[in-house]
Amino acid sequence: MEKHSQRPEPKNLNSVWRFLRRCLFSVLSFGPMPKHIAFIMDGNRRYAKKMQIKEGSGHNVGFTSLVSSLQYCYEMGVKYVTVYAFSIDNFKRKPEEVGSLMHLMKEKIDQLLEEESIVHKFGLKLNFWGSLDLLPEPIRSAAEKAMVHTANNTGPVLSICVAYTSTNEILRAINKSCARFEDKTGEGSDPANSILVTDLEENLDSASCSEPDIVIRTSGETRLSNFLLWQSTFSHLQSPNLFWPEFSLRHLIWSILEYQKVYPYLEARRKLCQES
Ligand SMILES: CC(C)=CCC/C(C)=C/CC/C(C)=C/COP(=O)(O)OP(=O)(O)O
């Protein structure tokens, strides 16, 4: 059979698609681009219900959607992506559901460390934010291993919030600031009067990242649900009306365009606060 009658290799199609994305992202980058995007990946169970698949499968599709969103973000030059993967409040769900989410988490963290993963493709540095001591031992070890393995990577940064709430992050930062203050000044001092906002910020999980420019919560919910409360003062909050597993490139591009529309206003507000 002649060569030209064969169907094109998927590899070639991938290259064409990658090239088209590059063109699209160059056009997009004529406007201001976000450095940091945070996602609240909401609606995985509702997606499973809608698609009549097993409840846990919704989170599995959600992870696939996360990996493609990460790929597009990093191709666009976004330096930081932060995702809300499991809140401390999620421990109150049915034990079977918590168990299966923990199982999925472990499996996906292990996958992230495999040779052909997105972590290796982009040289990602992985952070885990939250009270990791609340996690079952296998997930805690997997998270710690992932942080150690990627600590010297100089590429973009993926921060995964597990066993996380913002109030807990702030409380831990206050306690660390107090402990450091006492170490410096010795017994008998009153740290409550002396800790500065900068001390506290240095002890937040997010200390090494810029603040999120955009926080996207899928499924049309407009609450922050105790996510990055300290860091989101100037973030553009968006709540697209679709479930997380349905989030795709066109939704991401739309989010960036929305951000570019409000960027002058956000910058003006930020400058005003910095001056006062
Ligand atoms: C390693 C890694 C980053 C894994 C992440 C996998 C993943 C997609 C986790 C999402 C977890 C979660 C509780 C989402 C909220 O949807 P929901 O369960 O509350 O669904 P609902 O909003 O429909 O009730």
Side-chain angles (χ1 to χ4, degrees):
M1 197 198 281
E2 283 193 22
K3 270 236 151 85
H4 65 260
S5 65
Q6 289 175 0
R7 292 178 65 190
E9 291 286 316
K11 216 171 159 192
N12 292 343
L13 282 181
N14 276 342
S15 320
V16 173
W17 176 219
R18 209 173 23 248
F19 171 74
L20 288 176
R21 282 204 305 271
R22 211 178 308 143
C23 298
L24 202 59
F25 297 159
S26 328
V27 174
L28 205 59
S29 64
F30 275 103
M33 291 299 283
K35 276 203 281 298
H36 184 172
I37 303 182
F39 293 103
I40 305 179
M41 307 180 286
D42 208 13
N44 298 282
R45 289 183 298 188
R46 280 168 282 171
Y47 172 81
K49 207 167 181 182
K50 178 177 148 186
M51 302 308 285
Q52 297 178 327
I53 53 175
K54 269 201 343 234
E55 192 173 274
S57 308
H59 295 103
N60 228 323
V61 188
F63 182 78
T64 309
S65 174
L66 171 63
V67 173
S68 13
S69 298
L70 289 174
Q71 158 133 1
Y72 304 143
C73 284
Y74 298 137
E75 283 177 356
M76 280 179 202
V78 175
K79 170 81 181 165
Y80 302 105
V81 174
T82 302
V83 294
Y84 206 0
F86 195 85
S87 114
I88 292 179
D89 298 328
N90 290 149
F91 282 115
K92 294 178 194 144
R93 291 186 178 188
K94 285 183 288 184
E96 315 84 81
E97 194 189 330
V98 174
S100 90
L101 272 170
M102 288 294 133
H103 181 78
L104 176 91
M105 205 75 74
K106 163 90 173 68
E107 182 186 296
K108 299 306 178 193
I109 298 171
D110 290 344
Q111 267 179 28
L112 285 175
L113 291 186
E114 283 168 9
E115 202 56 51
E116 63 284 0
S117 77
I118 188 149
V119 170
H120 286 93
K121 191 167 174 190
F122 288 92
L124 294 192
K125 184 180 159 86
L126 289 178
N127 289 329
F128 285 83
W129 296 354
S131 277
L132 301 192
D133 52 325
L134 296 178
L135 293 169
E137 203 282 324
I139 294 103
R140 188 173 59 249
S141 309
E144 280 161 0
K145 180 175 156 200
M147 285 194 278
V148 170
H149 274 235
T150 61
N152 294 324
N153 286 357
T154 52
V157 178
L158 169 62
S159 304
I160 301 172
C161 298
V162 273
Y164 175 93
T165 59
S166 199
T167 39
N168 176 268
E169 180 193 17
I170 295 166
L171 191 64
R172 283 184 288 110
I174 293 171
N175 286 330
K176 278 191 221 158
S177 306
C178 289
R180 282 196 194 168
F181 186 85
E182 276 171 326
D183 283 348
K184 267 196 235 156
T185 57
E187 268 179 63
S189 52
D190 180 4
N193 292 330
S194 315
I195 287 168
L196 305 173
V197 167
T198 47
D199 296 325
L200 210 143
E201 280 176 339
E202 277 168 21
N203 287 301
L204 287 171
D205 294 334
S206 61
S208 56
C209 289
S210 63
E211 289 173 353
D213 301 293
I214 311 176
V215 177
I216 300 174
R217 178 172 189 162
T218 49
S219 86
E221 285 280 355
T222 48
R223 295 172 299 120
L224 275 176
S225 294
N226 217 338
F227 180 56
L228 304 183
L229 302 182
W230 184 283
Q231 298 87 345
S232 56
T233 311
F234 297 105
S235 308
H236 187 233
L237 308 181
Q238 303 182 358
S239 47
N241 203 3
L242 76 164
F243 300 134
W244 172 251
E246 297 166 329
F247 192 82
S248 66
L249 178 61
R250 77 190 158 91
H251 304 110
L252 183 64
I253 290 178
W254 187 253
S255 289
I256 311 265
L257 290 171
E258 288 283 302
Y259 166 73
Q260 293 183 336
K261 220 161 52 183
V262 295
Y263 179 80
Y265 168 78
L266 291 174
E267 274 308 283
R269 300 303 305 172
R270 192 195 300 272
K271 280 204 183 104
L272 202 69
C273 287
Q274 277 163 357
E275 280 161 16
S276 54

